């Protein structure tokens, strides 16, 4: 596994910063921080040093359509829709255990592929590259995958805020963003500070990718109340595919939570397959649906 200098010493379970975050999150509101999926045993079963590997953050060999041929198809599709230039501005370095494939003279990972398709969806439907002083809030940011790719891609980005209800995620985001030298553009906000931060910020877009599906309804309600109170204009949600293929805005249990989103004044603007080509949606890596909501 490829690791940069110092990673093996810092990315350890007894790191003082991680212990501090665990204590703080344990003392925070239970309905937000008590996990449904992300239990201690689930998160801690994976190595911190391989946080970009095939683990709880990004399934790379366990989701539907994760063979080499599926990655190849998805890579060519991503290249064909990439009007934003994500692939031109981002490379895959293979660090921290990520699974990669070399296709058409470029190295690809699911991290890079998902980021490319997501950002081009937002460009097509919101023209995010043209929004002056763009502020984005990522709820359930994991290790900062999309923050990394967005900061490398958008010259108009003012700040990308990462937050997460899992202390290990905040710990890894802090490390990853610092390692990528993106601290001027990306701010990692611990869970117990997000309320005071969001009231002061002018957030244009909130994103939640494969996160709400793994939360309780109470936790989703808490987040939506924050977004509505802060008048966040747009909300981009990507549910887990599960048995319904992402065609419902649902928890992993299958329970639809779209009415909860609408309760806070968010109206569905667009629902579309992750891959607009039907054959790629059938055979591409980890197909699901994209949901874009707008605050009334």
């Amino acid at each position: 596994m490829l690791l940069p200098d110092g990673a093996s010493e810092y990315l350890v379970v007894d790191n003082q910063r991680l212990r501090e975050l665990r204590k703080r999150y344990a003392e925070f509101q239970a309905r937000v921080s008590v996990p449904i999926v992300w239990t201690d045993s689930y998160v801690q079963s994976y190595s911190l040093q391989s946080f970009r590997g095939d683990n709880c953050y990004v399934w790379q060999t366990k989701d539907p359509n994760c063979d080499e041929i599926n990655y190849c198809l998805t890579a060519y599709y991503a290249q064909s829709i990439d009007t934003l230039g994500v692939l031109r501005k981002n490379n895959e370095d293979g660090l921290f255990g990520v699974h990669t494939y070399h296709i058409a003279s470029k190295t690809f990972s699911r991290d890079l592929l998902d980021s490319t398709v997501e950002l081009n969806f937002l460009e097509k439907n919101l023209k995010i590259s043209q929004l002056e002083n763009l502020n984005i809030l990522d709820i359930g940011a994991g290790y900062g995958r999309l923050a990394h790719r967005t900061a490398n891609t958008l010259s108009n980005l003012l700040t990308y805020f990462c937050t997460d209800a899992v202390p290990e995620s905040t710990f890894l985001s802090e490390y990853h963003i610092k390692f990528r030298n993106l601290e001027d553009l990306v701010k990692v906000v611990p869970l117990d500070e997000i309320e005071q931060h969001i009231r002061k910020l002018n957030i244009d877009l909130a994103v939640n990718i494969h996160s709400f599906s793994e939360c309780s309804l109470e936790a989703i309600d808490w987040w939506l109340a924050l977004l509505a109170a802060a008048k966040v204009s747009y909300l981009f949600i990507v549910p887990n595919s599960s048995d319904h293929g992402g065609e419902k805005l649902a928890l992993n249990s299958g329970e639809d939570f779209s009415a909860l989103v609408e309760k806070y004044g968010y109206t569905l603007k667009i629902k579309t397959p992750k891959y607009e080509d039907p054959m790629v949606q059938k055979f591409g890596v980890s197909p699901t649906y994209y949901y874009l909501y707008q605050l009334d």
Side-chain angles (χ1 to χ4, degrees), residues 32-144:
V32 182
S33 57
V34 171
I36 301 300
V37 173
W38 290 71
T39 61
D40 288 346
S41 59
Y42 179 64
V43 177
Q44 295 169 22
S45 65
Y46 297 102
S47 167
L48 291 171
Q49 296 173 18
S50 60
F51 64 84
R52 296 185 67 228
D54 190 20
N55 58 23
C56 50
Y57 289 106
V58 181
W59 284 9
Q60 294 160 63
T61 64
K62 293 178 283 192
D63 259 2
N65 306 341
C66 282
D67 290 333
E68 186 173 11
I69 189 63
N70 306 112
Y71 271 88
C72 184
L73 172 66
T74 307
Y76 280 107
Y77 174 83
Q79 289 177 321
S80 74
I81 65 158
D82 188 20
T83 60
L84 194 54
V86 181
L87 293 172
R88 186 179 72 255
K89 299 172 183 177
N90 288 267
N91 292 314
E92 178 52 71
D93 54 24
L95 291 174
F96 307 108
V98 69
H99 286 250
T100 62
Y101 296 91
H102 197 67
I103 303 162
S105 302
K106 188 173 181 69
T107 302
F108 289 90
S109 62
R110 183 177 167 190
D111 173 317
L112 182 55
L113 290 170
D114 278 2
S115 300
T116 301
V117 179
E118 289 155 2
L119 287 171
N120 276 280
F121 167 82
L122 292 171
E123 176 66 11
K124 178 178 180 179
N125 294 287
L126 288 183
K127 303 298 181 186
I128 55 170
S129 67
Q130 300 175 28
L131 298 177
E132 188 175 354
N133 296 324
L134 176 64
N135 283 322
I136 298 175
L137 173 66
D138 194 334
I139 300 170
Y143 62 79

Side-chain angles (χ1 to χ4, degrees), residues 159-191:
T159 312
Y160 193 112
F161 298 94
C162 293
T163 192
D164 203 295
V166 178
E168 286 81 0
S169 298
T170 301
F171 171 71
L172 291 171
S173 283
E174 289 177 344
Y175 169 83
H176 188 221
I177 294 307
K178 183 177 181 180
F179 170 74
R180 300 293 181 188
N181 297 312
L182 295 173
E183 291 173 289
D184 289 344
L185 289 172
V186 181
K187 307 300 180 187
V188 181
V189 183
L191 178 68

